[in-house]
Amino acid sequence: MPAPPSQPSTGVGRASGVEPASEVGPQVESVLAGLRRHARHLVAELPGPLRRIRLRGGDTVLEVEWHAAPAGTAPAATASPAPPPTAAPPQGYAVRSPIVGTFYRAPEPGVAPFVAVGDLVRPGQVVGIVEAMKLMNEVTADRGGRVVEVLAADGDPVEYDQPLVALDPA
């Protein structure tokens, strides 16, 4: 639903389904803060202009809509753009992160990594783990191939769908 034209053209944030911040409980405010943080990360990572984004956390919804700026003016940036993620080789395939969290190449410190450059990977094989909220989530390859490059370092924060391991079809 478009916002009234009287709102600023550089970006408008509104929370749908919640009362003004002074009247909401601390739990809703915490959810909104998390949604705002996720929105900033998404906006920084997307390659092109964004018109609308809507995020939901339980019953709380955060919707942000950008309106066209007057001709000749550039909209103010709310977040610095992130560097583009390293892509897999053109004929290759990338195993991507299933969740936002911290990437680990090995099951525990001091142990050999799940995969290394040059290893053959079969479909369903674990290539790493992503820790999110104290839970370890296995990252598995859904295709087979040879590891060309490990794109995320051990202990790096990763985003959803970020390429982690580049595979070349075997």
Side-chain angles (χ1 to χ4, degrees):
M1 96 180 135
S6 63
Q7 292 183 341
S9 62
T10 58
V12 177
R14 65 179 183 272
S16 303
V18 296
E19 300 169 12
S22 62
E23 299 175 19
V24 298
Q27 186 177 17
V28 172
E29 197 57 41
S30 173
V31 171
L32 276 173
L35 290 174
R36 286 185 203 109
R37 193 171 44 254
H38 286 297
R40 280 192 298 272
H41 289 299
L42 283 171
V43 169
E45 289 180 1
L46 293 174
L50 185 65
R51 178 161 160 44
R52 178 184 284 171
I53 186 170
R54 183 178 180 160
L55 300 172
R56 178 184 308 261
D59 292 336
T60 306
V61 176
L62 174 70
E63 185 174 6
V64 181
E65 183 173 349
W66 288 262
H67 299 280
T73 63
T78 58
S80 61
T86 308
Q91 302 88 2
Y93 167 74
V95 178
R96 297 177 173 276
S97 176
I99 193 167
V100 174
T102 304
F103 177 70
Y104 294 105
R105 294 187 58 197
E108 59 186 62
V111 177
F114 289 106
V115 294
V117 173
D119 288 354
L120 280 175
V121 174
R122 65 187 184 289
Q125 180 176 342
V126 176
V127 297
I129 52 177
V130 175
E131 177 187 7
M133 297 176 58
K134 305 290 183 195
L135 294 174
M136 300 298 176
N137 301 280
E138 290 184 338
V139 179
T140 58
D142 48 345
R143 298 182 192 174
R146 184 172 303 277
V147 177
V148 177
E149 183 179 2
V150 178
L151 303 169
D154 195 48
D156 273 0
V158 294
E159 296 294 325
Y160 170 74
D161 205 34
Q162 177 180 335
L164 302 175
V165 177
L167 299 178
D168 194 25

